[in-house]
């Protein structure tokens, strides 16, 4: 107070006047060097928290330590410019934020007298902080939002990180662009017109845009939905856009569609999509009275290719098959992969059966060239089944089903193709019934064995018998072997049937083999013969039946033996190690290499009944029989003629040097008990 009183500036009247103001007014004397507050006086008394004997020190203590340098800077500015205003946080109980405004009144050498006011801005600062906090909150919401947020005039004003990441631009780059510049050209004019309408205040309200395509910085497409709204701001209208990037969803939908409707390996339509497209094709064909050929095809022994070369190689072949079908057939023809190695085609513009045959030849021609697999060449041999709309069916499922029936027939008949017909379906239905009945018959014991005698032609002595399987169905009666044996072979049921024949024949014929020394001949199908465990199964059956192995003849056909000569040699070696003998059946009906015939070292060669039945009138048959018998003698095998029915045939065969025979002339096949009586 001494310094202030010395200036003589303030009388009691001023003291009373300034002290009644609604905010603290004070005078302070500032010492210029070193800078400090020499005296301080609050008019009307200091505010709460500043009571004390040393007011200047107390005043400096209410300024937080981290703000004191700022306060000293304000004092220096005051001495330089004559006035200053500074906002500072304060350590007062009632004033947490204050605005201190000072003006120099007098200067005297090394000191200056200033008048100041302390304004309580705590409420304002709290409000500003709340606003800043709210702004930060909404900014964080915008930046973390899983949607795009943009503000725009005609150019971008703001875009949140979601937008920047989706489009690949920085915010600075976007601010240089008009909104419609990032839109795909086919949507651009529409967006440009609506943006300008909104910014002019003519937009009626929110607008929803669905599946708009945007272009990213690198030119890729993004599909978005967004909502546009108007936002008043400082006397103008801004556009507000909130959007969602649908691209991942669209990619997923497209992928799911591909998975659901397209084959993942070849890229061709799958069965579902093929039927949908075929339905549309048939509708058009019905209107224009056209015929449509539907083909279903697969490839012979494709499983063996997989087994030999691996599934990866098989997949490579399937992709190449799809490529040939896609590129060599017309674009309007339907192509599909149904599953595994099975494909489907639908072809238009047919002109009768001749046209169908031409189409099939064309497709077969696609596979005349080999497929390259690394350094190997592999040929694929297609089998096809065809059905024609509307002759064979009216709807897609029916036509495809009929084509599959025809394919089944082609496979069972080992033909390159087959076309559907009602008769073909009837045969297949009959075969399906027989297949189920055959399996059931094996379980119920409907099969039995008959034995046809084998005799020496010279002495008419019975030396053995051939076991023949027979089937007595409870409803259909006797079913011919020519009907059920091929069926069992095609369906794989030949294996359980063959196991039954082997064990039952050894059991029934065992006493005759052991006591009378008779030989037993058993036919083995190609499927049975090629089983790698064949010798083990036969050895087990021989042991269980106590059957002398040297009395068992295993009969295989010439075609079976020559299908894989190297494998045949290995199997025959295994069988001979058991003591078995081998007969070559139906000789003369196929083609045997003399080299392999020697290596096979068969014990008996059977002349097929086709040649025997032609005797004595057919001289060609006679020459063939003579050749076969001479060949048998040259390799150390016995010759046996099948199907002998007359005495004159026996006489001719004897003259030709045939040693053994069987046929109705000597005896029909009978059950084991009747065979015993026959002996």
């Amino acid at each position: 107070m001494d310094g202030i009183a010395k200036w003589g500036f303030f009388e009691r009247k001023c003291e009373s006047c300034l002290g009644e103001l609604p905010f603290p007014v004070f005078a302070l004397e500032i010492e210029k060097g070193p800078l400090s507050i020499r005296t301080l006086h609050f008019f009307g008394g200091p505010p709460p928290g500043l009571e004390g004997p040393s007011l200047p020190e107390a005043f400096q203590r209410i300024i937080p330590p981290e703000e004191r340098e700022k306060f000293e800077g304000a004092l220096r500015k005051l001495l330089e410019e004559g006035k200053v205003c500074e906002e500072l946080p304060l350590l007062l109980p009632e004033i947490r934020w204050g605005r201190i405004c000072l003006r120099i009144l007098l200067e005297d050498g090394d000191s200056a007298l200033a008048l100041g006011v302390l304004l309580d801005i705590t409420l304002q600062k709290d409000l500003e902080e709340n606003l800043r906090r709210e702004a930060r909150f909404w900014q964080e919401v915008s930046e973390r939002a899983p949607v795009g947020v943009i503000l725009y005039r005609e150019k971008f004003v703001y875009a949140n990180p979601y937008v920047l990441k989706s489009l690949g631009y920085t915010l600075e780059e976007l601010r240089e662009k008009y909104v419609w510049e990032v839109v795909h050209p086919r949507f651009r004019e529409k967006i440009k017109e609506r943006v300008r309408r909104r910014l002019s205040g003519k937009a009626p309200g929110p607008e929803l845009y669905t599946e708009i395509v945007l272009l990213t910085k690198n030119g890729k497409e993004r599909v978005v939905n967004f909502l546009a709204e108007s936002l008043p701001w400082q006397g103008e209208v801004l556009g507000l856009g909130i959007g969602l990037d649908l691209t991942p969803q669209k990619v997923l939908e497209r992928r799911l569609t591909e998975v659901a409707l397209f084959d993942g390996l070849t890229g061709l339509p799958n069965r579902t999509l093929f039927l949908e497209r075929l339905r549309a094709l048939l509708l058009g064909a019905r209107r224009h009275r056209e015929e449509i050929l539907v083909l279903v095809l697969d490839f012979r022994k494709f499983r063996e290719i997989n087994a030999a070369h691996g599934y990866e190689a098989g997949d490579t072949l399937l992709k190449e098959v799809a490529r040939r079908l896609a590129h060599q057939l017309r674009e309007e023809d339907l192509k599909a992969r149904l599953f595994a190695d099975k494909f489907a085609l639908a072809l238009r513009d047919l002109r009768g059966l001749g046209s169908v045959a031409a189409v099939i030849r064309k497709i077969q021609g696609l596979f005349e060239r080999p497929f390259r697999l690394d350094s190997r060449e592999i040929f694929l041999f297609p089998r096809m089944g065809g059905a024609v709309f509307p002759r064979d069916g009216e709807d897609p499922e029916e036509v495809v089903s009929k084509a599959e029936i025809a394919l089944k027939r082609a496979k069972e008949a080992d033909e390159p193709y087959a076309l559907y017909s009602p008769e073909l379906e009837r045969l297949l239905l009959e075969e399906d019934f027989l297949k189920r009945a055959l399996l059931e018959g094996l379980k119920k014991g409907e099969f039995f064995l008959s034995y046809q005698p084998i005799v020496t032609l010279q002495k008419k002595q019975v030396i053995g018998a051939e076991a023949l399987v027979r089937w007595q169905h409870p409803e259909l009666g006797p079913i011919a072997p020519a009907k059920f044996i091929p069926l069992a072979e095609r369906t794989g049921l030949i294996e359980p049937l063959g196991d039954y024949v082997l064990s039952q024949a050894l059991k029934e014929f065992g006493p005759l083999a052991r006591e009378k020394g008779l030989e037993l001949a058993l036919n083995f199908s190609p499927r049975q013969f090629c089983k790698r465990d064949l010798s083990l199964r036969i050895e087990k059956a021989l042991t269980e039946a106590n059957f002398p192995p040297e009395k068992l003849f295993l009969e295989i056909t010439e075609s079976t033996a020559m299908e894989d000569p190297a494998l045949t040699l290995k199997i025959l070696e295994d069988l001979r190690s058991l003591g078995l003998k081998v007969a070559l059946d139906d000789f003369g009906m196929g083609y045997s290499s003399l080299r392999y015939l020697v290596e096979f070292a068969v014990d008996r060669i059977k002349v097929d009944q086709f040649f025997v039945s032609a005797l004595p009138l057919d001289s060609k048959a006679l020459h063939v029989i003579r050749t076969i018998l001479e060949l048998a003698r040259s390799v150390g095998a016995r010759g046996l003629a099948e199907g002998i029915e007359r005495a004159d045939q026996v006489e001719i065969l004897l003259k030709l040097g045939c040693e053994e025979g069987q046929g109705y002339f000597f005896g029909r096949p009978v059950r084991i008990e009747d065979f015993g009586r026959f002996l």
Side-chain angles (χ1 to χ4, degrees):
M1 189 62 188
D2 293 341
I4 296 175
K6 181 180 69 174
W7 295 87
F9 233 73
F10 300 99
E11 299 176 352
R12 188 173 299 278
K13 190 173 180 180
C14 277
E15 170 88 18
S16 174
C17 176
L18 293 174
E20 292 177 357
L21 291 174
F23 45 82
V25 181
F26 60 91
L28 57 80
E29 184 181 4
I30 304 170
E31 188 172 340
K32 295 181 180 179
L35 185 65
S36 65
I37 299 174
R38 183 181 295 174
T39 56
L40 174 65
H41 173 72
F42 276 91
F43 299 97
L50 279 175
E51 300 88 349
S54 178
L55 198 56
E57 292 181 13
F59 185 77
Q60 293 191 62
R61 283 198 302 272
I62 70 169
I63 298 173
E66 66 272 13
E67 300 290 339
R68 286 173 188 168
E69 186 177 342
K70 181 179 179 181
F71 179 67
E72 290 176 2
L75 293 181
R76 282 192 290 271
K77 185 177 180 182
L78 172 66
L79 294 175
E80 292 172 1
E81 299 180 4
K83 60 181 179 178
V84 71
C85 254
E86 193 67 64
E87 295 180 355
L88 294 167
L90 301 177
L91 303 176
L92 288 173
E94 296 183 1
I95 305 176
R96 288 182 288 105
W97 272 91
R99 181 181 290 117
I100 299 174
C101 295
L102 296 167
R103 180 182 288 273
I104 297 291
L105 297 180
L106 292 172
E107 288 191 70
D108 180 19
D110 60 351
S111 65
L113 182 65
L115 183 65
V117 295
L118 175 59
L119 302 176
D120 184 358
I121 60 171
T122 302
L123 185 62
Q124 174 188 336
K125 282 295 183 181
D126 286 347
L127 181 59
E128 288 178 0
E129 180 59 29
N130 287 338
L131 289 174
R132 277 194 295 272
R133 190 179 298 115
E134 187 173 340
R136 284 196 299 271
F137 171 77
W138 288 113
Q139 182 177 2
E140 191 168 347
V141 168
S142 170
E143 291 181 352
R144 293 192 180 188
V147 293
V149 179
I150 61 170
L151 292 173
Y152 57 90
R153 292 183 179 91
E154 287 195 344
K155 292 185 176 182
F156 287 91
V157 174
Y158 168 78
N160 72 342
Y162 182 97
V163 174
L164 301 179
K165 182 179 179 181
S166 293
L167 296 180
Y169 290 100
T170 65
L171 182 57
E172 291 70 24
E173 288 172 330
L174 270 188
R175 283 174 173 162
E176 297 299 318
K177 289 189 171 294
Y178 290 98
V179 173
W180 50 81
E181 286 186 77
V182 300
V183 179
H184 192 281
R186 72 174 183 268
F187 299 100
R188 194 165 290 166
E189 288 304 316
K190 171 185 176 182
I191 297 298
K192 182 177 180 180
E193 186 272 327
R194 292 194 177 185
V195 165
R196 288 180 168 172
R197 184 160 59 101
R198 179 163 297 282
L199 295 178
S200 67
K202 297 178 182 179
E207 291 178 287
L208 178 64
Y209 297 82
T210 58
E211 299 194 5
I212 299 297
V213 180
L214 306 182
L215 297 178
T216 66
K217 184 178 179 178
N218 60 11
K220 293 184 177 180
E221 296 182 359
R222 310 291 293 187
V223 182
V224 301
N225 284 354
F226 69 90
L227 182 71
E229 179 59 289
S230 302
L231 183 67
W233 176 257
Q234 298 182 351
E236 64 175 325
V237 176
L238 294 181
L240 169 66
I242 299 176
L244 182 65
D245 188 349
L246 303 178
T247 308
Q249 174 186 333
K250 290 297 181 182
V251 170
L252 178 60
E253 288 176 359
R254 184 165 60 249
R255 181 60 185 146
L256 290 175
T257 299
E258 290 173 355
V259 170
L261 298 177
F262 289 88
D263 173 53
L265 178 66
T266 64
L268 291 178
N270 63 11
R271 187 185 191 96
T272 301
L273 184 56
F274 179 75
L275 289 173
E276 287 184 10
R277 292 182 173 177
L278 181 58
R279 190 179 308 278
L281 186 64
L282 298 188
L283 285 174
R286 185 177 288 111
R287 285 195 300 270
H288 297 95
R289 297 175 181 265
E290 291 180 346
E291 288 186 324
I292 302 294
L293 172 63
V294 174
L295 291 174
V296 178
L297 63 104
D298 66 6
F299 300 93
R300 290 186 73 251
K301 297 187 177 180
F302 195 82
R303 289 183 181 179
E304 285 82 347
I305 293 175
N306 274 335
H309 303 285
Y311 286 97
E312 186 174 345
D315 288 348
T316 301
L317 290 175
L318 291 176
K319 287 189 281 189
E320 179 60 21
V321 167
R323 192 193 68 80
R324 289 192 186 183
L325 293 175
H327 289 81
Q328 300 298 322
L329 299 180
R330 298 171 302 182
E331 186 176 349
E332 62 267 25
D333 295 332
L334 302 185
K335 307 106 183 169
R337 182 191 179 207
L338 302 184
F339 64 89
D341 63 326
K342 184 177 285 189
F343 293 79
L345 305 170
L347 306 107
R348 302 177 55 186
D349 302 330
L350 295 185
R351 298 291 183 270
L353 289 178
S355 179
V356 171
V359 169
I360 290 175
R361 284 195 299 272
K362 178 180 179 181
I363 295 170
Q364 289 174 326
L366 299 180
F367 302 99
E368 290 177 351
R369 290 183 294 109
F371 291 81
R372 298 289 303 180
L373 203 60
D374 297 329
S375 59
R376 295 162 295 183
E377 288 188 346
I378 293 179
F379 285 89
L380 293 181
F381 300 98
R383 293 172 300 194
M384 287 176 275
V388 177
F389 167 87
R391 184 191 70 192
D392 299 326
E394 291 287 334
D395 60 76
E397 291 82 359
E398 184 181 9
V399 179
V400 172
S401 175
K402 299 293 178 62
E404 289 178 323
I405 288 172
L407 173 63
K408 182 179 179 183
R409 185 60 184 174
K411 291 164 69 172
E412 292 180 350
D414 199 21
E415 295 290 341
Y417 73 91
L419 293 178
Y420 174 82
S421 69
E423 177 63 19
L424 180 149
E425 184 171 13
R426 186 190 65 76
L427 290 173
L428 287 176
L429 288 173
E430 181 181 316
E431 286 197 355
D432 285 340
F433 169 79
L434 285 177
K435 181 172 68 174
R436 290 191 297 271
L438 194 155
L439 185 59
E440 194 70 19
L442 282 170
K443 296 177 182 177
K444 293 182 176 180
E446 296 172 5
F447 290 87
F448 62 92
L449 298 180
S450 291
Y451 299 85
Q452 186 172 34
I454 298 174
V455 303
T456 59
L457 296 184
Q458 188 68 45
K459 297 182 178 181
K460 310 298 187 293
Q461 178 184 356
V462 177
I463 58 172
E466 180 179 358
L468 303 170
V469 65
R470 297 292 184 258
W471 182 11
Q472 181 70 31
H473 191 274
E475 297 175 5
L476 301 178
I479 297 178
K483 203 165 193 176
F484 71 81
I485 293 292
L487 175 63
E489 180 72 34
R490 289 195 301 269
T491 59
L493 292 174
I494 194 67
E495 292 182 34
L497 182 60
D499 289 342
Y500 162 78
V501 171
L502 175 63
S503 62
Q504 188 69 13
L506 295 181
K507 177 182 176 182
E508 291 182 349
F509 206 82
L512 296 177
R514 290 190 297 270
E515 297 166 12
K516 297 184 179 295
L518 298 184
E519 299 169 342
L520 173 66
L522 289 178
N523 284 291
F524 272 66
S525 72
R527 187 187 288 263
Q528 288 176 284
F529 183 73
C530 293
K531 285 291 182 181
R532 297 192 180 275
D533 63 345
L534 176 64
S535 62
L536 294 176
R537 292 162 70 176
I538 293 177
E539 183 178 18
K540 180 182 177 183
L542 288 168
T543 302
E544 290 176 350
N546 191 25
F547 194 97
E550 68 278 5
K551 296 301 180 183
L552 178 61
F553 266 86
L554 178 69
E555 294 189 357
I556 58 172
T557 63
E558 179 187 6
S559 57
T560 299
M562 294 306 298
E563 186 168 326
D564 188 341
L567 178 61
T568 298
L569 280 171
K570 175 65 174 64
I571 294 172
L572 292 180
E573 288 174 5
D574 293 340
L575 295 176
R576 284 201 190 85
S577 67
L578 298 177
L580 273 64
K581 294 183 172 63
V582 178
L584 206 56
D585 197 7
D586 297 339
F587 195 82
M589 299 303 289
Y591 171 77
S592 290
S593 163
L594 293 180
R595 168 202 160 190
Y596 281 114
L597 193 59
V598 172
E599 291 186 7
F600 290 162
V602 296
D603 301 282
R604 175 184 284 159
I605 293 179
K606 300 180 72 173
V607 180
D608 189 82
Q609 62 181 348
F610 171 81
F611 303 109
V612 175
S613 63
L615 296 177
L617 302 178
D618 193 328
S619 60
K620 291 182 180 179
L622 187 145
H623 290 310
V624 170
I625 295 172
R626 178 184 290 115
T627 302
I628 293 172
L629 293 173
E630 289 175 354
L631 185 61
R633 285 191 292 273
S634 69
V635 297
R638 289 143 59 180
L640 183 150
E642 295 182 289
I644 301 173
E645 297 184 354
R646 299 190 310 275
D648 58 347
Q649 292 173 335
V650 175
E651 293 302 320
I652 295 173
L653 290 168
L654 278 171
K655 289 179 182 178
L656 294 175
C658 185
E659 301 163 272
E660 301 167 353
Q662 67 182 98
Y664 287 175
F665 179 75
F666 303 109
R668 293 176 177 270
V670 293
R671 294 206 181 198
I672 190 66
E673 55 270 18
D674 295 327
F675 189 82
R677 286 192 290 273
F678 168 81
L679 288 176

